Amino acid sequence: MAALVVAEHDNAALKPATLNAVAAAKEIAGEDVDILVAGKDCRAVAEAAAVVAGARRVLLADDGAYDHGLAENVAPLLVRLAEGYSHLLAPATTSGKNLMPRVAALLDVMQISDISAVVSPDTFVRPIYAGNALQTVQSKDPIKVITVRGTAFPPGEATGGSAAIEAIAPTGSVGLSEFVRAELSKSERPELTSARIIISGGRGMQSGDNFHLLEKVADRLGAAVGASRAAVDAGFVPNDYQVGQTGKIVAPELYIAVGISGAIQHLAGMKDSKVIVAINKDEEAPIFQIADYGLVGDLFRILPELEAELERRQ
Amino acid sequence: MKALVAVKRVIDYNVKIRVKADKTGVETANVKMSMNPFDEIAVEEALRLREAGIIEEVIAVSLGVAQCQETIRTALAMGADRGVLVETNAELQPLAVAKLLKAVILQENPEIVIIGKQAIDDDCNQTGQMLSALLGWPQATFASKLKISDGHAEVTREVDGGLETVAIKLPAVITTDLRLNEPRYASLPNIMRAKKKPITTTTPEALGVDVTPRLVVLKVEEPPKRQGGHKVGSVAELVDKLKTEARVI
Ligand SMILES: Cc1cc2nc3c(=O)[nH]c(=O)nc-3n(C[C@H](O)[C@H](O)[C@H](O)COP(=O)(O)OP(=O)(O)OC[C@H]3O[C@@H](n4cnc5c(N)ncnc54)[C@H](O)[C@@H]3O)c2cc1C
Ligand SMILES: Nc1ncnc2c1ncn2[C@@H]1O[C@H](COP(=O)(O)O)[C@@H](O)[C@H]1O
């Protein structure tokens, strides 16, 4: 048994989600975990992957065809490498979700999406129905193609390993698709999926401008800022803020939901947080049922007060 | 040009699902069923392409039990031109769905296939990517904007870091994200009209596809319940509890 983990990166840095996927891979394949870095001018990423604790080997496929991780080009590479592995894993990020089913279909196997536990090398637990049920599935396929729910696998150590980096031949471009441009959100704050504290706003925030009330509290706490679908749909904040069933899955130490009612689709993305705080003016809001600490009241009064109190007690 | 959309019959997103006592699955008897919300967005997008004169015909396909007819009728009431039902009582997993869709596509020859990014029951997020792989077509997943011009599509995608735009050759598979459009409601006259639109029925056997599940569901359980519901009376109390009781700040 051996597992290959597809590294998440931007050609410059290895993204933390990779470490969660490596943790899942280790549960399956023990010492025999390799990491694939496919990109362009991404040697630095391979070097970061090589020191990940428990990595056996790093495969580096450096080629223009892999620059933006286009699934059409990367999938054939994984198909070629699949021969040497029993398991192919990627983090359940938008890039992992985009790539892995394409690989699975080319290998004629079912993907096991978004696993939250490893029962045995062929049996896994995965959430269905927005996490309102947990399904245990056994794969009958010769090779397991898996995406990993990061919040379910504590990340392994980013350093301490000493894997060899092996450059591998690229498969080239299949010429079906091209990258045009990216409009990425820039923020000094921590990334949502790896933040220790998150404060999220919903429709109750009323406007994008009002998010600065949240941001001030976030700055006091070193928190990331998230949102409900309603806040994104209304244009208050960009799409990458969305937490939920069809957005980002997060499980920080502390999640503060402000002006969010607590629809199941939102809960799906945050209910595994260690501590949940809800601030809402409607005491019947469903979010209070899962909150460890609920505060009923007007967020426009509470947020400035919270900021001041945090400052006072710092 | 033709567009083909896939529409899945799922438990309505508003229903609070119940896990069966024998752990074999989720209770579906007497539960409201609807079209998967992402597929409504797919139908809407195809209709807009037709209204813009870019395509001529919208075909809605559903796979599963006989009642999937109703889901197709909903698509027809929204404005799709005709339907295809691949009828089976077998459990269908995304790989099998992708193979069946491929077989239908090889008969219908659409240039654009639009499907949901994710079914809200199995939460798999696989079918579109698998389908494009099987067809050897490009894929543009999680679309929030779609522009079609001479044999190409420019698609803006919702990704973890923000937005990414790709250019793909047609034919292609596109999967929808929430912000692509706001689906229309079917008007009463259109619901009546939809009753007369044609639906052809076929089966996995007729399409020559083996749909044997590759994943065996061993059990389905309820997730652990969270103990919540505590209230605090003031901001000061909240900060105090977070510092001394929960110790998270
Ligand atoms: C297919 C599908 C996928 C979805 N995916 C997601 C997802 O990934 N993530 C997600 O979040 N949602 C998702 N949704 C949407 C979800 O069903 C809800 O519509 C959404 O979460 C509601 O957002 P909200 O709580 O901000 O808004 P609302 O439900 O409108 O709640 C607003 C809350 O703000 C409170 N409020 C208003 N003013 C104030 C004030 N001044 N002070 C204090 N409180 C105030 C109100 O009491 C209310 O509880 C999805 C839906 C579908 C159909
Ligand atoms: N049985 C089905 N009938 C019609 N469409 C389906 C079916 N299963 C999956 N799909 C399509 O594939 C998309 C993604 O589903 P999934 O990969 O299961 O999350 C859905 O939004 C549908 O558009």
Side-chain angles (χ1 to χ4, degrees), chain A residues 72 98 102 108 113 130 134 136 138 141 178 180-181 183 242 246 248 271 273 292-294 313, chain B residues 99 117 123-124 126 137 139 141 160 163 165 167 179 214 216 218-219 221 226 230 232 240 245:
Chain A
E72 294 85 344
N98 186 46
R102 192 168 181 103
D108 192 29
S113 294
L134 298 175
T136 303
Q138 183 176 35
D141 284 318
E178 259 171 62
V180 178
R181 66 178 166 272
E183 298 144 71
Q242 183 180 315
T246 61
K248 287 187 175 132
K271 72 177 157 83
S273 304
D292 301 287
Y293 304 104
R313 300 201 43 181
Chain B
K99 288 179 179 176
K117 84 161 175 182
D123 282 335
C124 272
Q126 300 181 11
W137 290 5
Q139 66 186 47
T141 51
D160 286 339
L163 296 170
T165 302
R179 261 70 60 177
R214 305 295 187 82
V216 179
L218 301 181
K219 62 181 174 193
E221 294 168 297
R226 247 196 115 90
H230 307 290
V232 291
D240 207 52
E245 194 175 83

Side-chain angles (χ1 to χ4, degrees), chain B:
Chain B
M1 290 213 288
K2 285 198 250 186
L4 184 139
V5 294
V7 292
K8 186 176 187 184
R9 179 176 182 267
V10 297
I11 295 183
D12 188 85
Y13 80 96
N14 268 318
V15 171
K16 175 129 185 43
I17 60 112
R18 275 187 314 147
V19 172
K20 286 187 189 162
D22 66 1
K23 298 191 179 181
T24 55
V26 160
E27 198 56 72
T28 50
N30 301 315
V31 169
K32 183 178 180 209
M33 305 296 285
S34 300
M35 186 190 298
N36 185 42
F38 288 101
D39 303 350
E40 292 180 354
I41 297 172
V43 174
E44 176 65 34
E45 197 63 18
L47 295 177
R48 290 185 190 189
L49 291 176
R50 193 188 60 198
E51 284 155 7
I54 293 166
I55 56 168
E56 285 92 47
E57 192 184 28
V58 177
I59 307 162
V61 185
S62 193
L63 307 84
V65 293
Q67 291 90 320
C68 293
Q69 285 246 10
E70 295 160 17
T71 314
I72 296 176
R73 287 282 168 220
T74 307
L76 299 178
M78 286 173 75
D81 298 288
R82 60 189 172 86
V84 176
L85 170 65
V86 181
E87 193 177 333
T88 174
N89 290 325
E91 180 201 343
L92 294 177
Q93 293 176 348
L95 181 63
V97 173
K99 288 179 179 176
L100 293 168
L101 285 173
K102 177 185 173 184
V104 173
I105 286 164
L106 293 181
Q107 294 177 351
E108 298 284 353
N109 292 308
E111 279 86 353
I112 303 176
V113 174
I114 313 180
I115 81 172
K117 84 161 175 182
Q118 177 175 340
I120 60 164
D121 50 3
D122 64 25
D123 282 335
C124 272
N125 196 331
Q126 300 181 11
T127 307
Q129 298 87 315
M130 288 186 153
L131 175 60
S132 49
L134 296 178
L135 289 162
W137 290 5
Q139 66 186 47
T141 51
F142 325 145
S144 68
K145 203 188 274 172
L146 169 63
K147 246 178 19 206
I148 306 252
S149 56
D150 48 51
H152 280 78
E154 197 174 279
V155 185
T156 301
R157 311 176 49 235
E158 294 200 356
V159 295
D160 286 339
L163 296 170
E164 177 190 273
T165 302
V166 292
I168 53 175
K169 283 186 187 154
L170 298 182
V173 176
I174 291 154
T175 79
T176 60
D177 216 318
L178 296 167
R179 261 70 60 177
L180 184 59
N181 60 49
E182 248 183 82
R184 69 195 65 186
Y185 291 103
S187 66
L188 198 57
N190 283 343
I191 292 171
M192 301 312 290
R193 225 167 282 149
K195 295 197 168 138
K196 298 203 191 77
K197 290 183 180 172
I199 297 179
T200 49
T201 301
T202 180
T203 61
E205 295 73 38
L207 293 170
V209 175
D210 175 6
V211 299
T212 312
R214 305 295 187 82
L215 300 181
V216 179
V217 178
L218 301 181
K219 62 181 174 193
V220 173
E221 294 168 297
E222 276 198 39
K225 282 245 174 339
R226 247 196 115 90
Q227 291 301 330
H230 307 290
K231 297 254 169 62
V232 291
S234 68
V235 168
E237 190 189 342
L238 175 64
V239 173
D240 207 52
K241 288 258 158 86
L242 291 177
K243 276 194 187 286
T244 58
E245 194 175 83
R247 295 168 188 270
V248 286
I249 60 170

